[in-house]
Amino acid sequence: MSAPVLHTARLPAGARATPRVDVERILHPRSVAVLGASDSKAKFGGRIMNSLVHHGFAGEIYPINLHRSEVLGRKAYASIGAAPAPPDVAILAVPPAALVPSVREAAEAGVGCCVIITTGFAEAGPEGVARQTELVDVAARTGTRIIGPNCMGLIVPHHHLALCSSVVLDTDRLCDGTVSLVSQSGALMVSIYDRAATDGIGFRACVSCGNQSDLELCDFIEHLIGDPGTEAICVYVEGWLDGARFRRAAAAARVAGKPLLVLKTGRTQAGVDSARSHTASLAGSFEVFQAVCREEGVVLPRDPDDMVRAAHFLVRHRGPRRGGVAILSGSGGGAGIAADRVSELGLRLASLSPSTRAQLDPMLLAPQALNPIDLGGRKPPEEVEIAGDVTRILFADPDVAYGLAVLTSMPFFATRARLIAEAARACDKPVMIAFTPGAAANGPRQALREIGQFYCDRVEDAIRVIALVAEHDTLRATPPARAERPPALPDATALSTFRGGPLAEAEARRLLGAYGVTVAREARAPTPAAAAEAAAKLGYPVVLKAVSRAIVHKSDVGAVRLGLSSREAVDLAAREMASRLGPLDGFTVQEMLASEAEVIVGARRDPQFGAVVLVGLGGIAVEILKDVALAPAPVSAARARALVDSLAAAPLLHGARGRPPLDVDAIVDAVVRISWLAADLGPRLVDLEVNPLIVRRAGEGAVAVDARGRLEDS
Ligand code: ADP
Ligand code: MG
């Protein structure tokens, strides 16, 4: 199965007949037709029929097969038009060449929604695109909805609906639950389903969307937000069709109190046009997506199994939660390794209260009970008894929000594992259990499966899940910040005086100045003599910069001279630049600013999510250190401050180790203003960046000395 592809061969909004069915009906059809139905499990249509019948779908099943009167004991029909009533859903696994006519026929017969497994559409070159366009056309004309093509169908356990040909459905029963999954990839959907089922985690609904020619990921996400049976939503996505729609859905999920976890590929895709601006390369599409998710409280797992496990725990233990991680282990080594990894992932270890410690002390060998707790070393039979008690007391501590039990091999392994698991469940906090041994832990594993307790086979897996649950808790604890327009910003119409194309530096600084960003005092000079003249007027020392459209990064080619303090020095430096750099458009003479730190503030427009603003450690270190933070624009002052404070360099800005505190307020102000400028530019913004913003001591301000940008034509 090829990766699903997004393509323009999809339904244009507005230009369509009224949809015949809604998503609720598609997930809970009263009747299903299977085109290409067969008894043979060697065929798609046979496997789908088998899944439907075997898992007890209670609605009508209409096998469609020209040559058969019965399939798997159900009356078959020669054509979909011959079925006794138009089915809510038809599933099609017919060859590509036969597909479009089949869909047309289904639409004419009044089918509500066609689920198209067939591949060979937009993902398969120009011919496929043409075929997909025909499909889209049928949907638009008739109001029949389409899922796919190139999808794997749906699994809705509580409706006994397994509309899917995958082998993972060759099980006794479907695994029902309250987590829903929406996946662009079909193959991934079924493997996630299967892995979760093995973990004892069930689903409310699993949908694969394939090429999203009509119904797209967001149609399902939006529906599931309103679905009372869905308590958390997991999404696998390669590319959004409509970023703004996803963002609205994410905001709605937060309002509904439903965790939303999204695994998106393309993390490592390089930014666009990185030569021209740092912002473009530092705020690539994945970074922007990440920033939007942070803003909207969406958790971003890196692994599909982690995603579902975290969702499972978030549903089982609803927040809010605040606190650290408590670790319990059968070995000091296991506890130590876990404690290191927990800290490395940025999680805090809980500090146990005196009362917890007083209760634990008499039970443990270690003289003082400190987190992590080492359970080992006690002689039986006492240790059998203490395992449950220690677990209960430890995880009940008020500073413990998350628990981790690392089960190394120990005497009475199965019994103790079970006692620990039962006590962990009773504490109503997300507690992960991880077994470290191999086959020796099979008995304990079985004991936990019997009580329906989820466990991991690697400590690392368990910690990643804890980290995701904690990420969710932190994100949702911060209310969404709504930005307020600072007073005295110019009317957005003032922007129409700036022409499209790359902005000359002087123009970029004028644009920034119009939005209240402090820019260095400077003068333009066409010749070395004029530069020397301008320097005298500006006051020494000055900075001399060569101006040329051909030069992007001036200091790389020696086009910046700092600290010139006489007319002669400026004149000489300018002549030298002119002779070395070839024809120039002139010079800029700038006041020389005493700098305590250099910061970059940039903005760019992302094709999916619109304007974003970025702040980071600036100057020439920017691309090397990549110490940057970004957020969708515009930002509130609080968000801008949070961005600045999230930088690794933040302690330097705040005055670490005897250094004077710098004017962080001025950085925040510049970030807010540039974010509004970016937002006001709307679709005209390509990118815009100040590098550096020279930051001075607290109360002395911050000044833009270099700026560049590019606008679209208005
Ligand atoms: P470019 O980024 O094109 O190389 P800049 O104008 O940013 O050129 O100058 C390069 C570096 O020179 C800046 O990062 C900063 O360290 C220093 N600099 C530039 N202008 C000034 C100024 N007016 N005052 C103090 N330092 C400056
Ligand atoms: Mg610069």
Side-chain angles (χ1 to χ4, degrees):
M1 181 171 179
S2 322
V5 194
L6 303 184
H7 202 275
T8 43
R10 55 170 269 111
L11 210 60
R16 64 170 305 157
T18 313
R20 286 182 181 159
V21 282
D22 58 12
V23 174
E24 171 71 14
R25 173 63 65 221
I26 294 169
L27 296 182
H28 303 92
R30 292 160 299 194
S31 51
V32 170
V34 181
L35 278 79
S38 149
D39 282 323
S40 161
K41 274 187 147 190
K43 297 184 175 162
F44 273 113
R47 291 205 295 275
I48 293 166
M49 273 304 291
N50 193 72
S51 286
L52 272 174
V53 172
H54 174 73
H55 291 295
F57 176 61
E60 295 296 331
I61 302 175
Y62 305 133
I64 311 295
N65 188 321
L66 191 55
H67 311 290
R68 305 283 300 271
S69 59
E70 211 184 88
V71 174
L72 286 183
R74 310 279 167 139
K75 181 173 167 33
Y77 302 89
S79 72
I80 189 141
D88 286 333
V89 171
I91 183 161
L92 296 90
V94 298
L99 185 82
V100 174
S102 301
V103 170
R104 209 169 272 142
E105 202 183 321
E108 269 150 30
V111 168
C113 174
C114 291
V115 178
I116 303 174
I117 312 286
T118 310
T119 56
F121 288 84
E123 80 284 8
E127 255 178 61
V129 170
R131 265 203 294 271
Q132 187 164 317
T133 309
E134 284 185 73
L135 278 185
V136 165
D137 217 54
V138 175
R141 239 179 343 93
T142 61
T144 291
R145 308 243 50 184
I146 292 176
I147 301 180
N150 189 21
C151 79
M152 280 280 243
L154 343 161
I155 307 169
V156 187
H158 68 273
H159 197 59
H160 301 280
L161 179 68
L163 204 57
C164 178
S165 67
S166 170
V167 292
V168 309
L169 297 166
D170 292 348
T171 53
D172 292 345
R173 55 178 196 89
L174 297 176
C175 227
D176 191 11
T178 57
V179 175
S180 283
L181 170 68
V182 184
S183 173
Q184 195 170 338
S185 152
L188 204 58
M189 172 189 83
V190 290
S191 66
I192 292 174
Y193 169 86
D194 188 48
R195 178 69 75 127
T198 309
D199 283 346
I201 301 172
F203 287 96
R204 170 75 174 171
C206 297
V207 185
S208 81
C209 297
N211 291 3
Q212 308 183 75
S213 65
D214 172 15
L215 284 161
E216 63 131 317
L217 295 166
C218 283
D219 286 298
F220 294 100
I221 298 171
E222 285 166 3
H223 170 80
L224 294 166
I225 290 168
D227 168 35
T230 293
E231 292 180 37
I233 302 166
C234 293
V235 180
Y236 168 77
V237 56
E238 286 154 21
W240 298 108
L241 285 167
D242 180 346
R245 185 176 179 189
F246 166 70
R247 194 173 169 191
R248 286 194 301 276
R254 181 205 284 257
V255 171
K258 298 189 181 183
L260 177 59
L261 302 93
V262 179
L263 174 54
K264 185 176 178 308
T265 51
R267 265 176 194 277
T268 51
Q269 212 173 332
V272 282
D273 198 11
S274 53
R276 248 201 68 80
S277 91
H278 298 294
T279 302
S281 66
L282 294 169
S285 60
F286 192 82
E287 288 79 9
V288 172
F289 172 64
Q290 225 170 0
V292 166
C293 287
R294 190 185 328 98
E295 203 67 31
E296 304 298 351
V298 177
V299 179
L300 290 177
R302 287 162 190 261
D303 173 272
D305 304 328
D306 291 357
M307 169 163 74
V308 172
R309 290 168 174 184
H312 168 74
F313 277 93
L314 284 166
V315 162
R316 191 178 263 192
H317 306 283
R318 304 187 66 86
R321 265 176 298 268
R322 254 175 213 281
V325 184
I327 300 171
L328 174 70
S329 175
S331 106
I337 292 169
D340 283 346
R341 291 302 293 136
V342 161
S343 307
E344 277 166 11
L345 284 177
L347 297 163
R348 178 173 71 81
L349 284 178
S351 40
L352 303 181
S353 73
S355 141
T356 305
R357 292 169 58 180
Q359 292 176 71
L360 289 177
D361 271 345
M363 290 191 262
L364 301 172
L365 260 194
Q368 282 201 317
L370 284 171
N371 182 20
I373 295 289
D374 174 6
L375 197 58
R378 299 283 295 202
K379 288 198 188 71
E382 298 144 310
E383 58 190 332
V384 174
E385 293 156 13
I386 63 159
D389 287 341
V390 169
T391 309
R392 184 174 49 74
I393 296 164
L394 172 64
F395 294 142
D397 184 277
D399 194 43
V400 173
Y402 316 97
L404 172 63
V406 178
L407 302 189
T408 50
S409 62
M410 47 184 138
F412 307 103
F413 201 177
T415 314
R416 295 184 92 185
R418 191 177 172 131
L419 283 173
I420 290 170
E422 277 166 351
R425 282 163 81 100
C427 77
D428 196 30
K429 291 179 185 174
V431 175
M432 307 295 144
I433 296 176
F435 286 105
T436 57
N442 285 347
R445 286 188 184 98
Q446 181 56 31
L448 296 209
R449 276 199 295 273
E450 276 163 17
I451 59 165
Q453 172 65 47
F454 168 77
Y455 60 83
C456 294
D457 271 321
R458 296 193 58 82
V459 178
E460 190 72 26
D461 293 350
I463 296 175
R464 282 199 315 276
V465 175
I466 294 176
L468 289 173
V469 172
E471 181 184 330
H472 167 270
D473 295 345
T474 312
L475 287 170
R476 292 281 172 100
T478 341
R482 292 293 160 232
E484 268 188 47
R485 193 176 178 86
L489 289 191
D491 198 284
T493 52
L495 298 173
S496 57
T497 59
F498 291 88
R499 274 177 300 133
L503 289 169
E505 284 179 40
E507 263 181 309
R509 279 191 292 264
R510 189 160 66 83
L511 188 54
L512 291 161
Y515 269 69
V517 178
T518 310
V519 292
R521 287 190 305 121
E522 66 177 36
R524 270 294 294 277
T527 60
E533 187 65 36
K537 284 205 189 112
L538 211 55
Y540 301 110
V542 296
V543 177
L544 178 76
K545 302 180 185 182
V547 178
S548 162
R549 285 198 177 254
I551 302 175
V552 179
H553 298 293
K554 294 179 293 298
S555 33
D556 287 356
V557 295
V560 178
R561 287 288 303 274
L562 303 175
L564 302 174
S565 19
S566 71
R567 188 183 268 271
E568 294 69 35
V570 173
D571 188 66
L572 195 68
R575 283 177 202 287
E576 187 277 324
M577 277 184 196
S579 69
R580 184 166 43 84
L581 298 171
L584 297 175
D585 304 327
F587 302 91
T588 301
V589 184
Q590 246 178 17
E591 61 176 324
M592 170 87 192
L593 291 146
S595 165
E596 297 285 349
E598 298 194 354
V599 161
I600 177 172
V601 184
R604 104 173 168 86
R605 185 178 160 75
D606 177 80
Q608 278 294 349
F609 295 102
V612 289
V613 68
L614 160 151
V615 60
L617 195 64
I620 52 171
V622 60
E623 295 232 24
I624 299 166
L625 298 180
K626 294 191 167 56
D627 185 15
V628 297
L630 59 151
V635 290
S636 64
R639 166 56 78 205
R641 194 171 298 277
L643 291 181
V644 174
D645 286 342
S646 74
L647 299 176
L652 294 177
L653 301 173
H654 288 293
R657 318 221 63 160
R659 282 168 54 106
L662 307 188
D663 205 334
V664 173
D665 290 351
I667 306 174
V668 167
D669 186 60
V671 172
V672 169
R673 289 176 184 281
I674 290 170
S675 81
W676 278 97
L677 172 54
D680 287 352
L681 281 166
R684 289 201 62 204
L685 173 70
V686 178
D687 58 18
L688 182 71
E689 128 188 328
V690 172
N691 185 30
L693 179 77
I694 287 191
V695 186
R696 300 195 285 182
R697 296 187 180 198
E700 293 176 2
V703 185
V705 300
D706 183 30
R708 72 185 85 244
R710 181 191 286 269
L711 302 183
E712 298 285 5
D713 293 329
S714 52

